[in-house]
Amino acid sequence: MADMTTGNTSRADANRRRILDVALAELLRDPDASMDQIARAAGVVRRTVYGHFPSREALISTLVDGAVEAVAAAHAAGRESVADPAESLARSTLAVWEIADRYRILVALAQRSVTVQGIRDRLTPVRQACVELLRRGLEQGVFESPLPAAALAYVHEQMLFALMEAVNDGLLAAEEAGRSAAVTMLTAAGVPASRATGLVAKLSD
């Protein structure tokens, strides 16, 4: 009986992961994809999808949670073992964009189905890490801003959301967006444009 239960649980977990993977692909292809479309693409009946996610909003919310976890891990990896705050900011932005580019359509979708405050709450650990990085850069004179670190972190966060929307709306080429985002974050923190552009170009090679 225990083995059967374990088998059922493993199968349910595998189904759930497959539904999430297929849902992300379908929503990237068609932001208005319905639960029926997602079920067909995943090769399961609609009841199975609803068994894991009681609504489309719940499914998108779960995808957003996964995206936030991936962004947090990328941000931490980008900052790891980098002493220079400007390089750390550039590396973390480039790393985050690589992850975020896959999920950028979710930002638009989540703003419809999950409150913007809900997204901000999920990003709190990433924002706190950004505040510490910006504070260190401001104290060392690497960054220069009339804003305190905590306010500047909010500005950076909103700029990243805006750049994702610009890509979604066809105003910014996706293949250029990561580098553009990194240069934008650096210049917004007061790093001279020539240094910001050179640093990002070096890290992108």
Side-chain angles (χ1 to χ4, degrees), residues 125-170:
V126 177
R127 189 183 309 111
Q128 288 170 341
C130 287
V131 171
E132 289 310 309
L133 170 57
L134 292 169
R135 182 177 292 125
R136 182 158 57 88
L138 289 167
E139 288 171 354
Q140 292 177 13
V142 176
F143 301 147
E144 186 176 337
S145 174
L147 299 174
L152 187 56
Y154 268 97
V155 170
H156 277 190
E157 184 179 296
Q158 292 306 306
M159 287 171 69
L160 281 173
F161 283 153
L163 287 169
M164 288 181 198
E165 290 288 2
V167 176
N168 287 343
D169 290 344

Side-chain angles (χ1 to χ4, degrees), residues 3 20 23 34 40 56 62 70 88 93 96 105 126 129 141-142 155 159 161 165 169 179 181:
D3 287 345
L20 286 171
S34 67
R40 281 197 302 273
R56 188 172 182 274
T62 303
S88 184
T93 302
V96 163
I105 196 67
V126 177
V142 176
V155 170
M159 287 171 69
F161 283 153
E165 290 288 2
D169 290 344
R179 291 186 292 276

